[in-house]
Amino acid sequence: MAGKHISYSEWKNWLICPHYHKLTYIDKINKFEGNIYTAFGKALHTLCEETLTKTEQYRSQEKIITLLKEQFVKELKALPADEQQRAANDFDLPLWVDHGIEIIPDLYRSLTEKFGKLGKDWNVLAAEEFLYQPITEFSDAEKNFKGFIDLVVHSNKDEKVHLIDWKTCSWGWRREKKNDKVMAYQLVMYKHFYSQKYDVDPKDIDCHFVLLKRTAKPGNKVEFVRITAAKKRTTDALKSLTTALYNITKERYIKNRNSCTSCKHRPGVCEFYKTEYCK
């Protein structure tokens, strides 16, 4: 049975392939449990969250670097045994740590360039802001939108709330990805439901993906990608969300075979391709 809520990730997986959505969200079959890339990303997410909300505790560069190393090791140990072995055999782990350490100064420099001095020009309102808001646009059943916003800040310069989602990547994003509406809909949805939760005028909310670029050169390892979420784009995103909910509640799980081996929204071959779950 469909759950009482839907997240951006669930909506995106339904959009890619309704049958894939059924296998992962309804049948609870999960063949992907992470890899070195997700471990690195989680470690950086934790570093951003901890150091920006506990500034007194992480004043020294040494403590920040130690936190990164500890979190990366922790996330690697949480991987399945085969992925741990692959990480040890196929990747230069110290180099990955070095890439993470190089990101740290660029991160704080970019935040300062964007917003000014922390505590004076801008303040952190929340890290991992939890959203669980009713989807009033859908009337067939009671559904909530569930999500976590990586960072919410208030800028004294423009008197706006800024929603930030960290995205770890290799060298960056191509223009097509920066302009991809499906990618943008994550922050469009976050903005809509954050506005609903706190009764904030959408005009007073800005949205950004912040790219944490592992293999880019030092000085260019962090990039802000602003996402516009005007009324038309918001309406389109919510319409797509309610379309997904309608079909999910009607248990319509059509296979999208065009996304089995080549899909711009999910690189690589689907983990269920030619398995017992999808023949």
Side-chain angles (χ1 to χ4, degrees), residues 7-9 11-12 15 131 145 163 165 167 173 177-193 207 209 227-242 265:
S7 64
Y8 164 78
S9 296
W11 165 79
K12 181 180 175 182
L15 186 72
L131 297 175
F145 179 84
L163 309 184
D165 188 83
K167 294 294 186 187
W173 285 358
K177 189 166 185 177
K178 291 179 181 179
N179 295 326
D180 181 11
K181 71 175 184 179
V182 172
M183 180 68 70
Y185 279 0
Q186 178 181 3
L187 287 179
V188 173
M189 292 177 187
Y190 284 0
K191 176 178 177 177
H192 173 77
F193 291 106
C207 305
F209 288 122
I227 299 299
T228 58
K231 187 174 181 179
K232 175 64 165 59
R233 178 173 261 189
T234 302
T235 299
D236 290 345
L238 294 174
K239 182 179 179 180
S240 185
L241 184 65
T242 56
H265 303 301

Side-chain angles (χ1 to χ4, degrees), residues 48-49 52-53 107 110-112 114-119 121-129 149-166 194 198 200 204-208 210 224:
C48 294
E49 177 183 346
L52 290 172
T53 58
L107 169 65
S110 295
L111 288 169
T112 301
K114 182 69 176 178
F115 299 118
K117 185 177 180 180
L118 177 59
D121 301 312
W122 62 284
N123 296 284
V124 175
L125 298 180
E128 290 296 304
E129 170 71 40
I149 306 174
D150 289 338
L151 189 71
V152 182
V153 308
H154 178 266
S155 170
N156 297 327
K157 289 184 176 182
D158 58 15
E159 290 299 327
K160 286 188 175 184
V161 172
H162 295 261
L163 309 184
I164 291 173
D165 188 83
W166 311 113
Y194 183 90
Y198 290 104
V200 179
D204 295 328
I205 303 174
D206 269 0
C207 305
H208 317 268
V210 176
F224 274 76

Side-chain angles (χ1 to χ4, degrees), residues 9 19 29 40 50 56 71 83-84 102 120 122 124 130-131 157 174 181 202 220 227 232 237 258 261-262 270 277:
S9 296
H19 183 68
I29 301 169
F40 185 76
E50 290 290 303
E56 291 298 320
Q71 288 300 315
E83 285 296 335
Q84 290 187 44
E102 290 173 347
K120 178 183 177 182
W122 62 284
V124 175
F130 179 57
L131 297 175
K157 289 184 176 182
R174 297 184 184 277
K181 71 175 184 179
N220 191 38
I227 299 299
K232 175 64 165 59
N258 291 327
T261 58
S262 178
C270 174
Y277 305 109

Side-chain angles (χ1 to χ4, degrees), residues 31-252:
K31 295 179 69 65
F32 178 73
E33 299 180 80
N35 54 31
I36 189 173
Y37 300 98
T38 59
F40 185 76
K42 288 179 180 179
L44 281 179
H45 273 62
T46 300
L47 180 137
C48 294
E49 177 183 346
E50 290 290 303
T51 60
L52 290 172
T53 58
K54 301 175 183 177
T55 53
E56 291 298 320
Q57 184 176 338
Y58 293 103
R59 282 188 174 275
S60 74
Q61 183 82 347
E62 182 181 354
K63 286 187 176 181
I64 296 173
I65 291 174
T66 298
L67 174 65
L68 173 66
K69 292 178 178 178
E70 290 176 347
Q71 288 300 315
F72 188 39
V73 170
K74 176 183 175 181
E75 296 297 342
L76 286 172
K77 288 182 176 180
L79 294 176
D82 60 333
E83 285 296 335
Q84 290 187 44
Q85 193 64 48
R86 179 171 176 250
N89 293 342
D90 298 348
F91 298 95
D92 184 348
L93 295 182
L95 182 60
W96 281 66
V97 173
D98 290 343
H99 288 321
I101 292 173
E102 290 173 347
I103 286 172
I104 293 171
D106 280 7
L107 169 65
Y108 303 128
R109 175 188 53 78
S110 295
L111 288 169
T112 301
E113 290 178 354
K114 182 69 176 178
F115 299 118
K117 185 177 180 180
L118 177 59
K120 178 183 177 182
D121 301 312
W122 62 284
N123 296 284
V124 175
L125 298 180
E128 290 296 304
E129 170 71 40
F130 179 57
L131 297 175
Y132 199 80
Q133 294 301 114
I135 304 173
T136 55
E137 294 78 9
F138 185 69
S139 58
D140 289 18
E142 290 186 8
K143 297 288 184 179
N144 292 295
F145 179 84
K146 180 180 179 180
F148 292 89
I149 306 174
D150 289 338
L151 189 71
V152 182
V153 308
H154 178 266
S155 170
N156 297 327
K157 289 184 176 182
D158 58 15
E159 290 299 327
K160 286 188 175 184
V161 172
H162 295 261
L163 309 184
I164 291 173
D165 188 83
W166 311 113
K167 294 294 186 187
T168 54
C169 56
S170 179
W171 59 270
W173 285 358
R174 297 184 184 277
R175 181 181 298 177
E176 292 81 7
K177 189 166 185 177
K178 291 179 181 179
N179 295 326
D180 181 11
K181 71 175 184 179
V182 172
M183 180 68 70
Y185 279 0
Q186 178 181 3
L187 287 179
V188 173
M189 292 177 187
Y190 284 0
K191 176 178 177 177
H192 173 77
F193 291 106
Y194 183 90
S195 171
Q196 182 187 93
K197 180 177 180 179
Y198 290 104
D199 193 24
V200 179
D201 190 328
K203 294 180 181 178
D204 295 328
I205 303 174
D206 269 0
C207 305
H208 317 268
F209 288 122
V210 176
L211 309 186
L212 307 177
K213 302 186 281 189
R214 180 171 48 84
T215 62
K217 293 181 179 180
N220 191 38
K221 283 185 169 288
V222 177
E223 180 184 356
F224 274 76
V225 178
R226 184 172 181 267
I227 299 299
T228 58
K231 187 174 181 179
K232 175 64 165 59
R233 178 173 261 189
T234 302
T235 299
D236 290 345
L238 294 174
K239 182 179 179 180
S240 185
L241 184 65
T242 56
T243 298
L245 286 172
Y246 177 80
N247 285 280
I248 291 169
T249 55
K250 297 296 183 182
E251 299 183 358
R252 295 174 178 172

